[in-house]
Amino acid sequence: KNEVEQSPQNLTAQEGEFITINCSYSVGISALHWLQQHPGGGIVSLFMLSSGKKKHGRLIATINIQEKHSSLHITASHPRDSAVYICAVEIQGAQKLVFGQGTRLTINP
Amino acid sequence: NAGVMQNPRHLVRRRGQEARLRCSPMKGHSHVYWYRQLPEEGLKFMVYLQKENIIDESGMPKERFSAEFPKEGPSILRIQQVVRGDSAAYFCASSPQRTAISGNTIYFGEGSWLTVV
């Protein structure tokens, strides 16, 4: 079993829909990152969380440390949001990221 | 302030040749990480370096792979005697300090795509 599990693996939605991507992890962490990878491959860091909730524009990320679970929400989704979203955790005591398999999101106009 | 710069973006090597991938971190960043993304797989940690020091190389294959981050110049990931299985995207990332402690996020380069033929 992977230390970081994301769901769903693939998600297709219509423009305007509210999107939720989930991430569960099984190890002690010091922080959790949400990343975005577009076709062509570049990776952008969206959020780094160690507790609570963060919001940036139409993106919201939450984390529940007790339940070892995080969610990434996209409100009013748009075709330009189409990308692979990756959850990554920093293992406690180590300065390296362990990644989920990613969620491929497609937003249709 | 330029982002994390990786070059080359694309590299083709024949089996047995050497591949050198370079990463210049963001200005002011002294922590560099290398990650590998095999085709249809997730990203995997390879190595974490600070200037002139390898801090954690637990994700590096034991043979043929090496990394350095000299006092001057970019970080280099070197793959000797490449094989087809080395074909992957190699991403470099940098941060100014330990991210979880400092609250600083991590910045990724655009990646270097290695194809071994």
Side-chain angles (χ1 to χ4, degrees):
Chain A
K1 189 177 188 297
N2 293 334
E3 292 168 306
V4 182
E5 295 278 354
Q6 284 185 240
S7 64
Q9 285 191 304
N10 293 283
L11 179 56
T12 300
Q14 291 299 121
E15 184 173 356
E17 286 189 38
F18 181 81
I19 302 299
T20 296
I21 299 170
N22 295 300
C23 175
S24 296
Y25 53 92
S26 58
V27 293
I29 69 168
S30 48
L32 181 143
H33 299 251
W34 280 103
L35 310 170
Q36 181 191 57
Q37 186 173 27
H38 273 284
I43 296 173
V44 174
S45 177
L46 299 174
F47 295 103
M48 187 186 77
L49 297 160
S50 52
S51 64
K53 175 179 174 179
K54 286 189 177 179
K55 184 176 190 291
H56 185 236
R58 295 181 294 107
L59 301 178
I60 303 165
T62 64
I63 187 168
N64 185 320
I65 298 293
Q66 286 72 33
E67 295 186 5
K68 295 188 175 179
H69 181 269
S70 176
S71 293
L72 176 68
H73 306 285
I74 305 174
T75 61
S77 59
H78 190 276
R80 66 174 173 265
D81 296 327
S82 298
V84 176
Y85 292 83
I86 303 167
C87 171
V89 300
E90 287 188 44
I91 305 290
Q92 264 177 349
Q95 184 74 350
K96 62 184 179 185
L97 295 177
V98 177
F99 298 85
Q101 287 293 97
T103 295
R104 186 175 299 276
L105 174 65
T106 304
I107 303 296
N108 293 320
Chain B
N1 189 9
V4 179
M5 305 298 292
Q6 288 190 247
N7 69 84
R9 290 293 314 278
H10 299 275
L11 182 64
V12 179
R13 283 288 177 265
R14 295 188 184 280
R15 280 177 295 171
Q17 291 185 318
E18 179 180 285
R20 281 187 183 228
L21 309 176
R22 287 175 290 279
C23 169
S24 295
M26 285 185 72
K27 188 176 180 181
H29 286 195
S30 57
H31 297 234
V32 166
Y33 317 83
W34 285 95
Y35 298 94
R36 179 165 67 171
Q37 189 174 39
L38 292 166
E40 305 305 320
E41 291 190 23
L43 287 149
K44 295 280 195 297
F45 167 80
M46 297 185 77
V47 61
Y48 161 42
L49 310 106
Q50 293 179 30
K51 281 285 186 183
E52 299 183 275
N53 287 305
I54 296 174
I55 307 302
D56 183 346
E57 57 181 347
S58 58
M60 289 272 274
K62 293 288 184 281
E63 298 176 351
R64 303 187 297 107
F65 285 72
S66 62
E68 62 176 9
F69 188 16
K71 188 177 179 182
E72 302 289 339
S75 176
I76 306 284
L77 180 66
R78 181 181 178 206
I79 311 171
Q80 295 177 286
Q81 298 174 319
V82 295
V83 300
R84 288 232 170 97
D86 297 332
S87 296
Y90 293 83
F91 287 92
C92 171
S94 74
S95 66
Q97 301 173 52
R98 293 193 60 168
T99 53
I101 295 170
S102 66
N104 290 288
T105 192
I106 189 168
Y107 294 87
F108 284 82
E110 292 286 304
S112 291
W113 268 256
L114 171 66
T115 302
V116 179
V117 296

